[in-house]
Amino acid sequence: DLFDVFLKPCITYLKKEGKFTVEKVFPITFVVAFCKLLEAYIEKKDACVPKNKKKQTRADDEIYPGYDLLFCFCAIWSMGAILSDKDGEDHRRKFSDWFRGQFKQFRIPNKGTIFDYYVVMDQEKQENCKFEEWNKKITEIEYHPSENIRYVTVPTSETVSVSEIMEKLLAIGHPTLLIGMAGCGKTQIARGMLETARIKGKGVNFAYVTVNFNYYSDTYIVQSVLKENTQKKFGNTFGPKNDPKLMAIFVDDLNMQQLDRCLTQNAIELIRQFMDYKHIYECAKMELMEFVQIQFIAAMNPTAGSFNINPRLQRHFWICSIPFPSDDNIRTIFQFFLTHHFERFHQSIQEIAKGL
C-alpha cells in the first residue's frame, strides 16, 4: 500500500512540474532508486524477526513501527533529489512544498525543506519513530593545518545527508550519479564519502580509484583502469587487487568525452556494458573479462561536455543534484579552516579569526 501511496503521485508530479538539469530521465529510474533506498535502510533482522518470540516469522498483520516514515524518507530522496534550480526557479523547494501538502499525515516538520530530515527508527514503539534534522548527525572531524584542504570534507547538513545515502547505496551495490555546476562541491562530497569508507574498512574491506574524464577519454582508459586495478580470481573472472570486499571506481566529469560521428561516447558505452552485464571484452585479444566486487560512482556538470549521457547508462544510477552551498554552510566551512589554522597563534589572534 505504501508503494501506491508515494509512487504514483510523485511520478505524476515530476512529469507535470519537474524540470531536470539532465534529459531523458525515465520513471523506472525513480522506481528502482526508491526500492534500492528501502533495501539500504531497512534492517533485515528487524523486518523478519517477530515480536512474539514463539513465532519464527512476523505475521502479515503485525505492525512495523516507523516503516511509514521510512517509506516517506525514501520517496523524498529517490524522486526529489534530482531537482535543483533551473530557469530561475528552485524546483527542489517547490517539490518540498508540494510533498508536505500532499502527505500531511506523515507530519514532516515545517522548518526548512523536507530534505533537511532523516528518520529515527524504533522497532519497539511507533511514537519514538520521528523525523530529525540532519545537522544532528554532524560530528567534529580532526584537521591539521598542514593537510591539503582539497582532501578534507567539512561536514554540513548537505554533505552529511548525501554522503550517508551514497554510502548506504554503495553497501548494497547501487551506483550514484552526482550532478551540479562547477564549484558546487559534488566531487568533494564523493571523494570525502569514499575516503571515509576506506578508513572505516581499514584499507582491507574497501578501496577506490578515481578517474577524471576529459575531451580525449576513450574506451582504452576505462579498460586500463579495470585491468590495472584488478587481478584474476579464476577463469575469466577478475576482482579488485589485494582482495577488498568492494572497490569503487569514481568517474569525475562523466560527460566530458567528445562525441563521435554517431553522437555516442565510447567510454560511456563501455561503462554501460559493464553495468549491464558485469563484463567487457579485452581489446587486444578480444577475450571476455568478467568482474566481481566492483562498482561505479560518477559526477558530472550538466552544462559542460556533451551536457547529457546515454539514458541507457543513466538509468542505472540514483541521481542527486548538488546545489551550491548555502551562505550558512559556506560560513561554516571557511570558519572551520580558519579556526584550525590559527590554533597555533596567540589567543587574541584566535578571537579575531572567529569574527571574520
Side-chain angles (χ1 to χ4, degrees), residues 166-302:
M166 287 179 68
E167 191 172 350
K168 290 277 190 181
L169 292 174
L170 185 70
I172 63 164
H174 191 68
T176 297
L177 173 62
L178 302 182
I179 57 175
M181 304 297 185
C184 68
K186 56 188 181 298
T187 300
Q188 189 62 40
I189 290 174
R191 284 178 175 169
M193 184 279 294
L194 292 169
E195 184 62 19
T196 300
R198 186 191 67 80
I199 294 171
K200 285 181 180 178
K202 299 180 180 178
V204 176
N205 294 325
F206 179 76
Y208 71 93
V209 180
T210 299
V211 185
N212 294 294
F213 272 15
N214 57 52
Y215 184 78
Y216 300 103
S217 298
D218 56 19
T219 54
Y220 293 100
I221 289 178
V222 178
Q223 282 215 3
S224 65
V225 169
L226 287 170
K227 291 167 69 175
E228 290 170 8
N229 293 281
T230 59
Q231 60 189 15
K232 182 176 284 191
K233 285 183 170 289
F234 52 86
N236 293 327
T237 302
F238 294 77
K241 281 186 176 178
N242 303 318
D243 288 323
K245 291 182 179 179
L246 178 66
M247 182 179 77
I249 300 177
F250 171 48
V251 182
D252 201 8
D253 293 325
L254 179 65
N255 61 339
M256 284 300 290
Q257 187 197 355
Q258 63 178 318
L259 296 171
D260 59 24
R261 286 180 295 177
C262 299
L263 301 181
T264 61
Q265 296 161 296
N266 54 30
I268 280 178
E269 293 303 325
L270 189 62
I271 295 174
R272 192 268 311 158
Q273 179 183 334
F274 179 96
M275 295 178 72
D276 278 343
Y277 306 109
K278 298 301 180 189
H279 72 236
I280 64 171
Y281 285 89
E282 198 274 330
C283 286
K285 300 179 182 178
M286 288 303 294
E287 292 180 347
L288 182 70
M289 299 178 68
E290 296 182 325
F291 295 92
V292 293
Q293 300 163 245
I294 295 175
Q295 182 179 326
F296 278 90
I297 288 176
M300 72 179 210
N301 179 352

Side-chain angles (χ1 to χ4, degrees), residues 118-184:
Y118 69 97
V119 176
V120 176
M121 297 289 287
D122 187 330
Q123 289 299 313
E124 298 300 324
K125 295 183 179 179
Q126 174 70 32
E127 56 269 23
N128 291 342
C129 301
K130 59 182 178 178
F131 285 101
E132 283 280 10
E133 290 185 85
W134 280 109
N135 57 24
K136 297 284 180 68
K137 288 197 171 189
I138 295 176
T139 56
E140 288 289 330
I141 62 171
E142 295 182 4
Y143 169 72
H144 192 274
S146 62
E147 293 181 56
N148 190 332
I149 64 173
R150 288 178 57 192
Y151 303 106
V152 179
T153 302
V154 180
T156 65
S157 58
E158 292 169 2
T159 61
V160 166
S161 58
V162 176
S163 296
E164 179 182 298
I165 294 171
M166 287 179 68
E167 191 172 350
K168 290 277 190 181
L169 292 174
L170 185 70
I172 63 164
H174 191 68
T176 297
L177 173 62
L178 302 182
I179 57 175
M181 304 297 185
C184 68

Side-chain angles (χ1 to χ4, degrees), residues 25-65:
V25 183
F26 301 110
I28 189 64
T29 303
F30 301 123
V31 176
V32 171
F34 187 32
C35 294
K36 289 296 182 179
L37 277 175
L38 287 169
E39 181 185 347
Y41 271 92
I42 291 177
E43 292 287 343
K44 308 300 185 295
K45 58 181 179 63
D46 294 334
C48 300
V49 177
K51 289 184 179 178
N52 187 344
K53 303 301 181 184
K54 295 180 180 180
K55 296 181 180 180
Q56 291 186 343
T57 59
R58 285 195 183 219
D60 292 339
D61 59 348
E62 195 169 337
I63 296 174
Y64 288 76

